[in-house]
Amino acid sequence: MRNARGFTLVELIVVMVIFMTVIMISASAFEKILFQSGHLVKSSQAQIEEVVGLEILRRDLEHVGYGLPWSFQNSFTTPYTEVDVSTDTPVDGIDAESFNDTPPSIPRAVVLGTSATTGKIINGSADTNPGVDYLVAKSINVSMSPAAQRLAYVNYSGNELSNKSFIVTKNAQDDIVDGDRVISVATSFSSTMGDDRQLLMNGTNFFYVANGSTPPSDAFKPTGKEQRVDVYGVDHDTDLRMPYNRADYYIKRPASGMNPRCNVGTGILYKSVVEQGDYTGSTGYIDYPLLDCVGDMQVVFELDTSGIDYGGTMTYVDGLASLSAQDIREQLRTIRVYLLTHEGRKDTSFSYPVSDPNKAIVVGNPNITSTGRVWKQSDMTTVFGADWRNYRWKVHEIAVKPRNLYQKQ
């Protein structure tokens, strides 16, 4: 034991330096692993949100025009108002009432805001992103109400003395139930296309309250075997302000509740359903957030101007203001929505690649520059900040062929 030697001070210091170096390297690697893990978790979460939100939007656009009347009866004496709200509701810089279709105008299945100041993402005159599209979809089932997913029909049953027609149910989940506010739309098989799908009414009301034990009044029944009357549930327990539902889609950054991982220039993609009934004292909309961290939305329509013949050259436009409801039914083939978003949070170790400063990001079809939006690098810096390249930007494209407009037979 007298000859046993310990460690010298120099040896201990060397060992400690080596040990500390290993710990520092390991800590740095562990920190990177944690950061990458967090980024992957956030990215996975964002991708799940994208799938859900984009699927809702895709479904709504696929069903634009569902249940809309193509004509009104001459006895229609109760014009309705789709939206009656204050300025800058639901989003700054937009007049939501400008998208209304009020009788005698037939409701258009889809409308787009095209103003140069459309779509302020951040409220206030100083922080805006002009040029973001504002999309309006009209159909029965664009509402989240269960009643809006229900459908039935009234089959003609009668004789020379009485009309005994009643709502036919199928004992299925989508049957009309008592208390549903419903409309009747008649299709006359012998009429021309322009006269098909006529909204029935009794002179003062265009809807009635479904009651399984009480047949609808004659005004809402077929007049003979040459007619078929479809019955659509629009809402439940709430008297209707219009004979269909409407939803507005836009981007807005709320005053609070924004996901902290989102770039400061981005907002939330909302679906806002117009309330039925008298919405005095409320905003007039029921808001549903669909997608976080959205910096732009551009909508492009593919039109076949040959109309119902389905043989013309496709035309790509970013607005439908010049088209009537019938024009839209006959010409609209595809709706394309482009959304600029980013995955995960800011990553200082990442730099978004830019090959052309004048075309940093294209929100639209790169081959059709007359539609959509081209973001210059300077524009990205102005709207999304000097650190915008530290985000993983991506452009989602949704291409939808509406299923409820006029189809060639």
Side-chain angles (χ1 to χ4, degrees):
M1 294 299 293
R2 291 180 182 178
N3 295 328
R5 297 179 58 191
F7 295 105
T8 66
L9 180 61
V10 174
E11 290 174 329
L12 290 174
I13 292 175
V14 171
V15 170
M16 291 178 63
V17 169
I18 295 173
F19 183 68
M20 292 299 295
T21 301
V22 171
I23 289 179
M24 291 176 64
I25 294 174
S26 300
S28 177
F30 184 65
E31 182 180 2
K32 290 181 179 179
I33 291 173
L34 285 178
F35 179 84
Q36 292 297 330
S37 176
H39 176 74
L40 290 174
V41 169
K42 293 295 184 182
S43 295
S44 299
Q45 180 182 353
Q47 289 171 1
I48 293 173
E49 294 172 353
E50 288 171 0
V51 169
V52 175
L54 297 180
E55 177 59 22
I56 292 174
L57 177 58
R58 185 203 62 77
R59 174 192 174 279
D60 289 346
L61 295 182
E62 188 176 54
H63 289 88
V64 293
Y66 172 76
L68 294 188
W70 293 7
S71 62
F72 297 121
Q73 289 180 318
N74 293 331
S75 59
F76 194 10
T77 59
T78 55
Y80 55 83
T81 300
E82 287 181 7
V83 173
D84 183 11
V85 295
S86 59
T87 305
D88 294 335
T89 301
V91 64
D92 286 0
I94 284 293
D95 179 9
E97 296 180 13
S98 67
F99 307 108
N100 286 357
D101 289 311
T102 301
S105 297
I106 304 301
R108 294 165 292 176
V110 59
V111 194
L112 188 70
T114 56
S115 169
T117 58
T118 293
K120 298 179 181 179
I121 287 183
I122 304 175
N123 287 334
S125 59
D127 298 315
T128 64
N129 183 354
V132 179
D133 280 345
Y134 187 98
L135 181 64
V136 175
K138 301 176 187 181
S139 71
I140 296 291
N141 59 357
V142 76
S143 170
M144 308 296 273
S145 169
Q149 319 305 319
R150 300 181 184 130
L151 172 68
Y153 68 97
V154 178
N155 206 13
Y156 180 74
S157 176
N159 52 40
E160 297 83 0
L161 301 177
S162 64
N163 185 340
K164 300 180 180 180
S165 301
F166 59 92
I167 296 178
V168 178
T169 58
K170 310 178 293 297
N171 293 321
Q173 186 176 3
D174 61 346
D175 279 347
I176 299 293
V177 302
D178 288 356
D180 281 352
R181 270 55 177 174
V182 301
I183 63 167
S184 293
V185 177
T187 298
S188 298
F189 297 108
S190 60
S191 67
T192 63
M193 191 201 78
D195 293 329
D196 270 352
R197 302 195 55 76
Q198 185 178 77
L199 179 68
L200 301 183
M201 59 206 75
N202 63 13
T204 58
N205 277 321
F206 52 76
F207 73 94
Y208 60 96
V209 181
N211 186 321
S213 60
T214 304
S217 66
D218 287 347
F220 300 102
K221 296 177 181 178
T223 57
K225 294 181 180 179
E226 74 281 0
Q227 271 194 340
R228 184 192 70 209
V229 173
D230 295 319
V231 178
Y232 298 90
V234 181
D235 207 330
H236 188 83
D237 289 337
T238 301
D239 289 345
L240 306 183
R241 64 184 292 111
M242 54 187 173
Y244 48 87
N245 288 302
R246 165 179 157 176
D248 296 7
Y249 306 84
Y250 56 88
I251 303 169
K252 179 177 180 179
R253 189 177 182 90
S256 61
M258 191 70 190
N259 193 320
R261 71 177 174 85
C262 294
N263 177 277
V264 295
T266 63
I268 296 173
L269 174 64
Y270 284 96
K271 169 184 177 179
S272 291
V273 179
V274 177
E275 293 185 70
Q276 293 282 358
D278 180 7
Y279 48 63
T280 302
S282 70
T283 63
Y285 284 91
I286 304 173
D287 299 334
Y288 301 95
L290 298 184
L291 188 60
D292 282 340
C293 309
V294 185
D296 194 9
M297 176 172 70
Q298 298 294 316
V299 184
V300 178
F301 302 101
E302 291 183 17
L303 304 180
D304 182 350
T305 54
S306 66
I308 61 177
D309 292 333
Y310 277 66
T313 302
M314 287 295 181
T315 302
Y316 299 87
V317 299
D318 53 9
L320 301 172
S322 63
L323 301 185
S324 67
Q326 183 172 338
D327 291 335
I328 293 172
R329 290 197 304 269
E330 294 180 359
Q331 298 181 23
L332 182 57
R333 298 293 180 264
T334 306
I335 304 172
R336 296 184 182 274
V337 179
Y338 300 90
L339 294 164
L340 175 64
T341 67
H342 66 75
E343 288 185 341
R345 55 188 177 184
K346 178 181 176 181
D347 183 357
T348 55
S349 65
F350 172 79
S351 180
Y352 185 84
V354 175
S355 57
D356 183 353
N358 291 319
K359 193 184 288 187
I361 296 180
V362 177
V363 185
N365 186 333
N367 299 318
I368 306 176
T369 56
S370 60
T371 60
R373 190 181 194 183
V374 177
W375 285 84
K376 298 180 181 179
Q377 182 167 305
S378 58
D379 296 333
M380 293 293 294
T381 301
T382 299
V383 174
F384 302 111
D387 58 352
W388 73 269
R389 296 186 66 178
N390 295 137
Y391 292 86
R392 290 174 168 83
W393 298 94
K394 62 187 297 185
V395 177
H396 298 278
E397 178 185 1
I398 304 174
V400 179
K401 294 185 179 298
R403 298 169 53 190
N404 292 278
L405 304 182
Y406 181 78
Q407 300 293 323
K408 185 177 181 180
Q409 300 299 319

